[in-house]
Amino acid sequence: MSPVLQSSNPGAYTDVTWGQDTTSSPDPVENHTPWKKVLYERQPFPDNYVDKSFLEELRKNIYVRRYSYWAVVFESAVVIHQLCSVCSFSVIWWYMDQDLLSPQKLCGFGLAFTLLGYLIFDAVDKGAGRKESGRTRWRDLKSSLVFVAFTYGFSPVLKTLTESISTDTIYAMSVLMLIGHLVFFDYGANAAVVSNTLSINMAIFASVCLASRLPRSLHAFTMVTFAIQIFALWPSLQRKLRAYTPRTYTCVTFIFAVFSVSGLLSISSVGALLFFLLLISVTFLCPYFLIRLQLFKDNIHGPWDEAEIKEDLSRFLD
Amino acid sequence: MVYDQKVGCTRRSHNDSSKTTEATYCPVGQAHVICMVSDFFYPNMGGVESHIYQLSQCLIGRGHKVIIVTHAYEDRKGIRYLTNGLKVYYLPLTVMYNQSTATTLLHSLPLLRNIFVRERVNIVHSHSSFSAMAHDALFHAKTMGLHTVFTDHSLFGFADVSSVLTNKLLTVSLCDTNHIICVSYTSKENTVLRAALNPEIVSVIPNAVDPTDFTPDPQKIRTNKITVVVVSRLVYRKGIDLLGGIIPEMCHRYPDLHFLVGGEGPKRIILEEVRERYQLHDRVRLLGALEHRQVRNVLVEGDIFLNTSLTEAFCMAIVEAASCGLQVVSTRVGGIPEVLPEDFIILCEPSVKSLCDGLEKAIDQLKSGNLPSPEAIHNTVQSFYTWKNVAERTEKVYDRVSNETVLPMNERLERLISHCGVVTGSIFALFVVATFLFLMFLRWNTPDSLIDIAVDATGPKGAWSHKYSCKKSRKTMANAKSGSSLK
């Protein structure tokens, strides 16, 4: 028969005092038989006995990563890039909308930069990536021609597609879509919300919306092409730069940020200031907080955790 | 008919006529009127359900009055009587998710108050932290000044947002509960951490299995064919993905190895795919959902029992299998290492490789033939866990709890705010006040004195109950479990 419960102290409701001091209660038998953490034996201890080994297997913060400040600052460049992309895209659109920038000019610059980027893309890893994927230049040329032809052909449709929708709705939708693009973009985090396809699609949708408010269909064509360049091609070049030449990448980030802020400055000085502060806080303040808040991490692990299946089990079904 | 009954003094007497040893054994103590509350009860099937049923039967056998409160299951609503006059209230509350009711902390008060009053309940015993109704009942019982006990049957992590929220709610629910029961030491550590409790108000009382239900098959002849049995719901938490890797691996190593899988669930598709892919139709049998009484017959067909659970507070399945005389191979997770001594179980890490090695070891032992006979294993295991023992230990908790004071309103509010954090504490303190006012209103509307007192199924002064005891009740258990199945 199990012995009676430990004499209930009057303050059975005392606040959390678990830890060492609760083990002081006297053993029913003078330490003859040590308590064992087993259920199949009837032990001469009360059911609510708290042994010294209580919570012995508790582990805290075993998966904590140590961050170094500058490494986190470097990593934040991805976010900066995306913010700047959205910013420059909006600035360019505004210039086009105000007829301060002709579509021919943008088209020309876009083409030049794309070609340059295309060369750098291959030069940076000396063609290793191309060999691996087995993609030929002919195929690249073909797909870009198809894309340009289709966009050009459909640009009058794009231009009139959303004519019946009010401009305010278009603006609201574009803002939402661009925010969505920023949220779902693959910054390298291993999370469920990350979806590259969704992110790119949202950006293209925003560009189609905005393009429809431009004066002519050539404008619309240029705008959509530019969106592809800045939201689809530019990030893949960035990824490669980051992997192979981190220094260049940092420089590019800086130049890009300066370009975007000064572009915004030409439209609105308050907006530029706010954007500048945003960039600064993302680069320097957020990493600082991330590292600071690590100190408060209190993650508990123990035998009660659900076991993780670490191996890849899909191999049995291939 | 209104039958006035004095609670807590003379109720032990009615079992004196009974000839069983259990009834005469009754130690000196008060008889309690216990109300078990949980969303999970028959016809739903699982560990919690059978725990509540068996515990209630044994407590009735020991002279207490026990009622069970759960929510309505389809057409099963109102009041039902089970063996030994065990009264079950199936309340008309809406089921929200996974057989758990929705909760507002208020709407169930009129019903529960009525039951508590008419049954003259003095201890409310809630089961399972997944059951919203159990927490509601605790909450209302405390408002009404009744003693409260809570049994936690499961483990929970601390890692994700959902567990942070549920753990907070558990903290609120348990901070002024008199006593908590856990089914294993690991579960106790888990609950103490989750709800920030004083470990001294947490008792460990394991589950039990009925050894008469799980006996080895004496007619069984050992052949060269080795069968591995798996009986579990086919869900992720039971590690069925691991099983999908073990089956081809082991079938490849041992041409005379067979698998027998009982149970149903969303992961069945994986096992079917594996069977298809490796052409194992003659060696892997999937039985689908099993009724509780079929489990023993499936178990005795095998030689080795495999449990691949990823988390488990106690794991009845391995005790049942060992009781049938099988070799047990299991993952070393949660409370499993506490359940069986090392000679009866081979513990492995939760990976395909480790579990395959464990199975290999078990097969080698089996082939070498130096294992104890299934009967010998059964005889040892049956002494480990009995419901009688569980009931005795639970009774001690009730005895202790009934001598404690229930926190008065003001202290309860203070405790909530000091223990659960200012924000959460204040919100729930508001709920406490609201429930209290609601209770005041209900008491004004229908005073306690106007609520009829229920007649026990055992009749006035237990006159209708005669030779029933804990043991006999098991024979008729199948009635209570009608429609039950392993899903």
Side-chain angles (χ1 to χ4, degrees), chain A residues 13 47-48 311 316 318, chain B residues 200 277-278 352 393 415 419:
Chain A
Y13 281 124
D47 285 332
N48 64 340
E311 51 208 317
F316 291 106
D318 290 340
Chain B
E200 302 217 337
R277 167 80 178 73
Y278 294 88
V352 171
R393 289 160 80 170
R415 167 166 292 271
H419 197 93

Side-chain angles (χ1 to χ4, degrees), chain B residues 10-31:
Chain B
T10 55
R11 282 198 46 82
R12 278 296 159 85
S13 57
H14 81 255
N15 256 334
D16 291 350
S17 59
S18 157
K19 290 186 182 86
T20 54
T21 46
E22 272 117 319
T24 46
Y25 162 72
C26 285
V28 203
Q30 354 157 222

Side-chain angles (χ1 to χ4, degrees), chain B residues 256-451:
Chain B
D256 53 355
L257 191 69
H258 291 248
F259 279 88
L260 188 59
V261 182
E264 192 54 76
K267 289 280 179 187
R268 184 189 170 115
I269 186 85
I270 288 188
L271 300 182
E272 277 174 358
E273 270 176 45
V274 163
R275 192 167 65 166
E276 200 70 35
R277 167 80 178 73
Y278 294 88
Q279 294 294 309
L280 296 169
H281 296 270
D282 52 336
R283 294 170 62 188
V284 178
R285 269 203 291 154
L286 302 179
L287 300 174
L290 292 181
E291 275 185 36
H292 190 261
R293 59 194 153 86
Q294 295 175 302
V295 171
R296 183 255 168 190
N297 294 338
V298 172
L299 285 176
V300 295
E301 273 186 58
D303 309 286
I304 298 167
F305 183 84
L306 175 65
N307 170 49
T308 53
S309 286
L310 301 180
T311 176
E312 202 78 68
F314 179 81
C315 198
M316 302 265 254
I318 58 172
V319 184
E320 290 170 354
S323 181
C324 287
L326 274 72
Q327 271 284 294
V328 177
V329 177
S330 172
T331 45
R332 188 197 303 273
V333 293
I336 289 180
E338 304 166 27
V339 174
L340 287 173
E342 273 168 30
D343 344 351
F344 296 105
I345 189 169
I346 298 171
L347 290 169
C348 311
E349 294 313 310
S351 71
V352 171
K353 190 180 170 299
S354 177
L355 280 162
C356 283
D357 292 348
L359 277 176
E360 213 156 66
K361 197 175 154 198
I363 292 169
D364 286 348
Q365 282 181 357
L366 205 67
K367 284 189 172 163
S368 69
N370 53 15
L371 278 178
S373 70
E375 282 73 23
I377 300 179
H378 171 76
N379 288 337
T380 322
V381 172
Q382 72 166 346
S383 64
F384 290 162
Y385 304 105
T386 59
W387 286 111
K388 185 170 153 257
N389 178 263
V390 172
E392 278 166 25
R393 289 160 80 170
T394 313
E395 193 176 59
K396 288 200 178 89
V397 171
Y398 293 151
D399 288 343
R400 168 182 159 148
V401 159
S402 60
N403 292 327
E404 279 173 11
T405 46
V406 179
L407 285 186
M409 194 60 181
N410 54 343
E411 283 179 42
R412 201 175 157 209
L413 295 179
E414 261 168 39
R415 167 166 292 271
L416 268 169
I417 293 170
S418 66
H419 197 93
C420 310
V422 179
V423 181
T424 328
S426 308
I427 293 170
F428 280 92
L430 215 66
F431 270 108
V432 170
V433 174
T435 330
F436 184 70
L437 292 176
F438 191 28
L439 181 68
M440 287 288 119
F441 168 75
L442 289 173
R443 280 189 177 151
W444 168 80
N445 193 37
T446 352
D448 285 2
S449 54
L450 289 187
I451 297 176

Side-chain angles (χ1 to χ4, degrees), chain B residues 117-134:
Chain B
V117 172
R118 50 185 266 122
E119 298 286 350
R120 292 287 185 258
V121 170
N122 58 6
I123 294 175
V124 173
H125 188 166
S126 289
H127 290 265
S128 178
S129 48
F130 293 120
S131 162
M133 193 177 181

Side-chain angles (χ1 to χ4, degrees), chain A residues 299-317:
Chain A
N299 210 336
I300 307 171
H301 300 272
W304 49 80
D305 281 339
E306 190 174 300
E308 256 178 85
I309 302 177
K310 292 198 182 79
E311 51 208 317
D312 177 27
L313 294 172
S314 58
R315 71 192 155 101
F316 291 106
L317 288 172

